[in-house]
Amino acid sequence: QSALTQPPSVSGSPGQSVTISCTGTSGDVGSYNRVSWYQQPPGTAPKLMIYEVTNRPSGVPDRFSGSKSGNTASLTISGLQAEDEADYYCSSYTSSNTLLFGGGTKLTVL
Amino acid sequence: EVQLLESGGGLVQPGGSLRLSCAASGFTFSRFAISWVRQAPGKGLEWVSVSGSVGSGGSTTYYADSVKGRFTISRDNSKGTVYLQMNSLRAEDTAVYYCAKQFSSAWFYLDYWGQGTLVTVSS
């Protein structure tokens, strides 16, 4: 099963907003609201940032928001801060009872 | 405090076997599914397998196609530990292997992760 499709990189200046897309198929993103997003700074383990498409776990700033349309989910980070620089991964539950990750997007804060 | 500690990684020859362990603490272990997720050097995340919680039937396990038939996940609720038995290892299995805990009521969201253990498959 192929990974979900994410752009390899995005960038933005402090205070700006960036959006990272995550495209799947009707067998995963398109059929379930079971999409999550993870942040992984270099050399560290991933951190859950968004679950069930739009929900934030306790402690995640509301600058992070998620959405979905059809087979594509998106993560938007508003009011960019230097500490947001990291790799971001989407994931989705699939019709095969598996979990599929995206290829990852490197966010650079200029 | 929730903690997950992986162990058992190392260097193994192609075709060989290795067993990883994930020791958990700080939560009611039997109530939560535990997944293994791997990351090849410089690459993205790849989900490997999940061992379901007692509430899900206890013996529920799922695998990625890339490891099905070669890897086996199991858990010992009395020890708070999940295992990943890896057989017929290939070079492409080289990765840092993380274990991660289920978030809320859904096994496919992972809220706590260990620091990972490196598996290198090479002759």
Side-chain angles (χ1 to χ4, degrees), chain B:
Chain B
E1 179 189 6
V2 173
Q3 289 191 329
L4 299 167
L5 183 61
E6 304 94 339
S7 62
L11 175 63
V12 61
Q13 292 188 338
S17 298
L18 213 55
R19 189 178 83 154
L20 305 183
S21 299
C22 170
S25 61
F27 62 100
T28 306
F29 179 79
S30 61
R31 293 178 55 191
F32 293 90
I34 301 292
S35 281
W36 286 97
V37 178
R38 67 185 181 183
Q39 188 168 32
K43 302 297 185 182
L45 301 173
E46 180 187 15
W47 177 82
V48 172
S49 182
V50 62
S51 173
S53 65
V54 167
S56 72
S59 60
T60 302
T61 59
Y62 300 120
Y63 298 92
D65 287 345
S66 58
V67 306
K68 198 174 296 183
R70 299 188 299 124
F71 290 11
T72 301
I73 193 170
S74 62
R75 66 191 292 157
D76 184 336
N77 289 324
S78 68
K79 296 182 177 180
T81 301
V82 170
Y83 305 97
L84 186 68
Q85 178 66 43
M86 305 185 296
N87 298 331
S88 303
L89 283 162
R90 307 166 180 167
E92 54 264 36
D93 295 318
T94 294
V96 172
Y97 284 72
Y98 296 100
C99 61
K101 169 189 162 291
Q102 164 192 341
F103 171 71
S104 187
S105 60
W107 72 260
F108 34 83
Y109 303 134
L110 308 172
D111 61 348
Y112 284 92
W113 298 60
Q115 286 307 299
T117 186
L118 176 62
V119 172
T120 303
V121 184
S122 174
S123 55

Side-chain angles (χ1 to χ4, degrees), chain A residues 3 15 28 37 47 49 62 81 83-84 86 90 93-95 101:
Chain A
D28 39 69
W37 290 90
K47 174 185 176 182
M49 303 299 285
D62 59 6
Q81 299 181 3
E83 67 203 49
D84 298 334
C90 62
Y93 174 81
T94 82
S95 58
F101 281 96

